[in-house]
Amino acid sequence: MPIRQNPILPGFNPDPSICRVGEDYYIATSTFEWFPGVQIHHSKDLANWELLTRPLTRKSQLDMRGNPDSCGIWAPCLTHDGEKFWLVYTDVKRKDGNFKDAHNYIVTADEITGPWSEPIYVNSSGFDPSLFHDDDGKKWFVNMLWDHREGYHRFAGIALQEFDAVAGTLVGERKNIFRGSPLKLVEGPHLYKRDGWYYLLTAEGGTGYEHAATLARSKTIDGPYELHPDMYLVTAKDDPLNPLQRAGHGDIVETPDGQTYLVHLTGRPTTQKRRCVLGRETALQKCEWREDGWLYLVGDTNLPASEVEVPGTYDQAGFDAERRYNFKGELPIDFQWLRTPEPERIFRLGGGKLTLIGRESMGSWFEQALVARRQQHFDFEAETEIAFDPRDEREMAGLTGFYGRYNFHYLHLTADPDGKRALNIFSSVVSHPDGKLTYWIDPVPVGAGPVRMKMRVENSKLQYFYAQGGDDWQRIGPELDASILSDECGGHAEHGSFTGAFVGMAAQDLNGSAREADFSYFVYRPL
């Protein structure tokens, strides 16, 4: 069989849930505060994956204005019951301190591309919900239980309750069916049934470098569940030099010819600094069911492999090709924005350009005009051209490398109090978690007309450039630390920061007059 390099979904694509319908495979991944909610990729061969849709597109389904960084959509679960698709998701409104305000919903659709239904509210007792369709027609809802009390373990176990699909509500008794292994922090449950056994796959150890996927089984759905002989189906926690780290949170799928695969979360730390600048990604492992009735990774190990046998041949050249966006028609699917279900207030397309409407400050949790795409390569360039006439220093627009409010670099066009245009660069870095900005240069005056901006990232190094008219690119500012755009620098380290690096276009108007900036193109160029 052909060999595919891991990860199969590079860049910020965490918490994978996989579903097969006939010959088609679908993976749903978390999107956190980025809108629209939930990424769904499609494949026919497990090698090549296309970003197909994001189903949570309406205010009635998702409104994340005010959600802190790394809140929003956590760990969706995508299933098909033979009639339609079911998507279960959490919208987390708070994650710091004792409390987790985590609301769980279900939407359905006859086709993967929608239309998707209005949401059914299910519960708020914990996050990472999942729906299991049993062979007797019953549906079961599982989620981790959160305990806010002092002196108790926060990750209290896995809750099971029957879901009445007709009434659209939970029914019967809620039971805590699994409290996890000694690694603790049990979450991310998925249920399966095989040869009379119920199998429960969970994530443990937190989402950092101690992460793992734990497998357990029981003859009855409500337990008791016994642990896998090796306890963990996949983990890199005992091998800090393995290329794939932070391995855990997964889901299982079978091919039409009976082969079994595991998709799971992983991260690839940079070689210069132990930071996962591409965020948490999705990897694939081939598995086998053995005579003892347990599932194992192929190769007599639970260490995630960097290569996996798959039915198809991967198009590496296609993935590494330059992407040029000219903003004709709809916003290209590669791009997202932050939090708001009212994108018409922050951008519009027309005349072959993307117009950003200046709103709140960089890093706002409410209404921020920032349109960006994922960084998916360790080395790349991003380029754009901006037409913008700021009136003073409170109006700015430009090119950003962005992770969250405490992690970004920003080359922007602005003006002094006299209205004279200039370029400047500032950053928000984790060493200033109060949000204090670091300015790297004195303002660089520029003449009238559009300004081209470029950002080059090579592993942990980031350099900005600018040009006007037919002039050559000029370096601007010092070499910056690209590795701050990572979970490890998100203010809560890898256990509390969950997204990944983006590169994109932004505009702010701190005067409140919604000054507009036009972007004529955007290029993402792997190096």
Side-chain angles (χ1 to χ4, degrees), residues 2-10 43 45-50 308 310-321 323 376-377:
I3 299 296
R4 171 68 156 95
Q5 289 290 124
N6 270 316
I8 58 168
L9 301 183
S43 177
D45 60 8
L46 294 177
N48 299 284
W49 294 87
E50 175 191 10
V308 58
V310 291
T313 300
Y314 179 52
D315 180 14
Q316 182 71 53
F319 174 69
D320 291 336
R323 299 286 192 273
Q376 293 183 291
H377 297 76

Side-chain angles (χ1 to χ4, degrees), residues 66-342:
N67 285 22
D69 289 348
S70 290
C71 287
I73 297 296
W74 286 17
C77 172
L78 179 67
T79 57
H80 194 276
D81 66 354
E83 296 182 0
K84 60 184 176 182
F85 290 95
W86 297 74
L87 179 67
V88 188
Y89 63 97
T90 306
D91 179 8
V92 178
K93 299 298 184 183
R94 172 184 171 167
K95 71 177 183 66
D96 292 335
N98 285 45
F99 295 102
K100 289 282 190 297
D101 293 314
H103 310 310
N104 296 321
Y105 302 91
I106 295 175
V107 291
T108 61
D110 294 330
E111 303 293 336
I112 193 69
T113 53
W116 288 84
S117 71
E118 289 297 289
I120 299 170
Y121 169 74
V122 183
N123 67 14
S124 300
S125 58
F127 48 85
D128 291 5
S130 179
L131 190 66
F132 171 64
H133 312 280
D134 209 341
D135 52 17
D136 61 0
K138 290 186 176 181
K139 298 184 187 300
W140 296 91
F141 194 87
V142 287
N143 61 268
M144 67 80 67
L145 277 173
W146 182 260
D147 195 330
H148 65 279
R149 298 173 297 172
E150 284 299 317
Y152 292 81
H153 187 53
R154 296 277 188 260
F155 292 72
I158 302 302
L160 171 79
Q161 197 168 358
E162 186 178 351
F163 178 75
D164 185 330
V166 176
T169 187
L170 297 172
V171 295
E173 181 185 0
R174 185 183 75 190
K175 295 184 178 180
N176 191 336
I177 61 171
F178 184 66
R179 296 183 182 273
S181 78
L183 191 57
K184 298 185 178 181
L185 304 176
V186 64
E187 56 187 340
H190 289 289
L191 277 166
Y192 316 89
K193 194 173 186 180
R194 177 186 172 90
D195 296 335
W197 288 95
Y198 289 94
Y199 291 86
L200 177 65
L201 182 67
T202 60
E204 291 194 279
T207 193
Y209 291 92
E210 296 297 309
H211 205 32
T214 304
L215 192 62
R217 71 179 182 183
S218 172
K219 279 293 186 179
T220 58
I221 196 167
D222 58 354
Y225 281 82
E226 61 174 308
L227 286 166
H228 190 286
D230 295 336
M231 200 170 299
Y232 310 116
L233 182 57
V234 65
T235 186
K237 67 184 183 65
D238 300 317
D239 191 340
L241 299 181
N242 193 65
L244 299 184
Q245 289 292 312
R246 306 175 65 180
H249 200 123
D251 198 3
I252 298 166
V253 69
E254 286 200 351
T255 65
D257 61 356
Q259 298 181 76
T260 304
Y261 285 87
L262 169 78
V263 292
H264 66 90
L265 181 156
T266 193
R268 293 177 289 167
T270 57
T271 54
Q272 295 172 341
K273 296 181 180 180
R274 193 172 170 82
R275 295 174 178 175
C276 297
V277 295
L278 299 185
R280 298 176 306 147
E281 308 171 285
T282 289
L284 181 73
Q285 306 295 332
K286 195 171 185 182
C287 304
E288 60 187 3
W289 291 97
R290 297 185 184 169
E291 293 183 358
D292 62 0
W294 286 103
L295 187 67
Y296 296 82
L297 299 189
V298 169
D300 294 319
T301 180
N302 58 15
L303 194 65
S306 296
E307 296 181 340
V308 58
E309 290 185 347
V310 291
T313 300
Y314 179 52
D315 180 14
Q316 182 71 53
F319 174 69
D320 291 336
E322 176 181 296
R323 299 286 192 273
R324 186 177 184 91
Y325 309 96
N326 291 310
F327 303 122
K328 296 178 180 178
E330 297 182 349
L331 186 71
I333 194 170
D334 290 344
F335 289 89
Q336 287 182 275
W337 59 94
L338 288 165
R339 294 180 176 84
T340 179
E342 297 178 348

